[in-house]
Each structure stands twice: as structure tokens, then as C-alpha cells.
Amino acid sequence: MGVLTLLQRDIKWRFHNAFTIVITILQPMLWLVLYSAVAGQAMQGIGIQNYTAFILAGLIVLVSFGTCSSSGIMNYLMKADGSFYRILIAPVQRSSIVLGQVLEAVLCNFIEVAIMCVVSLFFSVKIASGFLGLLVIILLVFMTSFFMAGLTYAISLCLPNEVLYETVMNAIVLPIFFLSTALFPEDKLSGGLKIAVNLNPFTHVINVLRNLILQGNIVAHDVILIILLLAVMCLISFSWALHRLKKETSL
């Protein structure tokens, strides 16, 4: 049993529980369609002509958070039906188990991001940086969702039940989202709030994604720094998830 077999198994679970896809994309879609329409006129007064395009980068990150958070629920459901423990006793590397589930969350995230981007086309959203910019966006979305999937996998193995897990994930995701430039430009912030926003790594991820969507030029320096940052974060989250799974085996 390898990564591809586990990935296929997890994909079947996802489509069997298709409500997880609907729930995680529903809120970002409402933000995209309703909030951008309501706030769009007000934002034109500060120079943002297409607010839907402006918030799309933040909503892509929000979708990644939501999709990968739902992936952590999979462990609780698998423990309930016993399949989680059957995999543990199977002759398969622990890293393959983690990687299979993480990649499933990444693939599901790409589906949801693609749906949201298609909807955004009806609001005149275009990627100004062209095909090369699209490739960079795909890489950043992959790395963001990979990090978050590894993190949620580890957290789900630390907490005893899904109720506590959902509470903790909300306590993590909501502050990260709102203490970022997802909805408002950074130059309108000041004081301690601006410092907190700048300390949030996803502020910089969102800024790079937004520049790729809105600006025609690609700032190589910023892109490289964000890729390196996400690479370190992915390594940390995957290592933690693998450590938690091995600890689960030793119990």
C-alpha cells in the first residue's frame, strides 16, 4: 500500500462525504459574491476599482484553510469506524499515510479554488501577470494548502474529539484571516494592528497573490521569499504530523 493507494482511498472518502466540499466553499463564495458587491462601492473611494479581484487572493487562502481543516475531521471519522487503526497496522510507511491524506486535501483545495476563480470571471477578474503568473499562483496555492493540511493532520491527532478540534481550528483560522490584508489594504492600517498584520505570514502570501492577480509584473524577490517561507512552513507541519502519527502508533 503506497501513497497513490492511500490517496485514492482518501479521495473516495471525500466524495462519499461531499458535504465537506460544499461547506468549506460556501462561506468564501458568499464573501466573493455578496461582500464584494456590498463593499465594492465603498472601496472605490480609496482607489480599489475591482474589489472582487482585490479580495480574491485572501479568499483563496481562506478556502485553503477551510478545506484542510475539514481534512482533519477525516481522522476522527476514520477512528470511529476503525479504518484509521487498520491502516496503522498495515505494512505501509508512516510518511506515506500522512502524505496521502495531505495530498487529498491539496487536490480538494484546487477544485474549490478553481470553482471560485471561475465564478470570479463573471466579476471581470483577470490574472494580469498572465500564464507565468498563473503558474506561480498554482505553486503558492499548493504550498499553502500543503502546510495547512499537515498542520490540521497533526492537530487532529493531538485533540480527543472533533468538537474541540473545530473550536481550536476556528481560534486559529479566524484571527489569521482577519489579521491579514485579505479584506483591506495594508496602507490603511496603523499602530499595533499594522504590526500584528505584518507579523502574520499569510499577509505576505496574500499580498504576493494579489500582486499576481492585479499587477502585470512579477516581483521575483517577493515571490522567492514567500516560496522559501512556505517551504519551511510545509516542512515543519509535515514533520509534526509525521511525529504525531508515529506517537499514535507507539500508544
Side-chain angles (χ1 to χ4, degrees):
M1 184 183 295
V3 175
L4 291 179
T5 302
L6 292 169
L7 176 59
Q8 183 180 19
R9 178 186 178 280
D10 292 335
I11 290 174
K12 288 181 179 179
W13 177 91
R14 177 71 68 172
F15 282 99
H16 182 70
N17 298 273
F19 70 93
T20 60
I21 300 177
V22 176
I23 291 175
T24 54
I25 198 175
L26 182 60
Q27 184 185 44
M29 288 294 292
L30 291 175
W31 281 91
L32 182 72
V33 177
L34 298 181
Y35 186 77
S36 64
V38 173
Q41 294 182 356
M43 291 300 170
Q44 288 180 3
I46 60 174
I48 301 176
Q49 299 302 318
N50 189 337
Y51 188 57
T52 304
F54 180 85
I55 66 172
L56 180 60
L59 296 181
I60 288 174
V61 172
L62 181 60
V63 165
S64 300
F65 288 171
T67 304
C68 297
S69 294
S70 71
S71 179
I73 297 294
M74 185 186 303
N75 283 333
Y76 294 104
L77 298 179
M78 290 171 61
K79 284 183 177 180
D81 64 18
S83 58
F84 179 85
Y85 302 103
R86 288 195 294 271
I87 292 178
L88 287 185
I89 63 176
V92 58
Q93 294 182 347
R94 299 296 175 255
S95 58
S96 297
I97 297 174
V98 178
L99 188 58
Q101 192 159 323
V102 167
L103 289 179
E104 183 278 330
V106 172
L107 290 175
C108 183
N109 182 53
F110 271 115
I111 293 174
E112 297 194 8
V113 169
I115 293 172
M116 191 166 60
C117 288
V118 169
V119 173
S120 70
L121 294 176
F122 295 96
F123 295 86
S124 302
V125 177
K126 297 180 181 179
I127 298 177
S129 54
F131 181 71
L132 181 58
L134 176 61
L135 293 180
V136 176
I137 290 173
I138 290 173
L139 176 60
L140 294 179
V141 170
F142 174 85
M143 298 183 76
T144 299
S145 54
F146 191 97
F147 160 75
M148 198 64 191
L151 181 66
T152 57
Y153 190 99
I155 292 175
S156 70
L157 295 182
C158 294
L159 301 175
N161 57 68
E162 56 267 38
V163 176
L164 184 57
Y165 169 79
E166 291 179 353
T167 302
V168 170
M169 289 312 304
N170 285 330
I172 293 174
V173 170
L174 293 180
I176 289 178
F177 178 72
F178 287 109
L179 287 176
S180 72
T181 54
L183 302 177
F184 305 100
E186 183 181 351
D187 57 6
K188 302 301 177 182
L189 304 175
S190 61
L193 180 59
K194 185 171 184 177
I195 294 174
V197 168
N198 281 320
L199 289 175
N200 181 354
F202 289 101
T203 288
H204 308 289
V205 175
I206 291 170
N207 288 342
V208 170
L209 287 172
R210 180 172 292 138
N211 288 335
L212 291 170
I213 294 171
L214 296 177
Q215 306 297 328
N217 59 322
I218 299 176
V219 183
H221 178 267
D222 292 344
V223 172
I224 292 173
L225 285 180
I226 289 302
I227 290 175
L228 291 176
L229 174 63
L230 286 174
V232 173
M233 293 169 63
C234 287
L235 180 61
I236 292 173
S237 70
F238 184 82
S239 299
W240 186 28
L242 183 58
H243 169 73
R244 290 302 310 179
L245 183 63
K246 289 181 178 178
K247 189 172 182 179
E248 204 62 34
T249 307
S250 64
L251 296 178

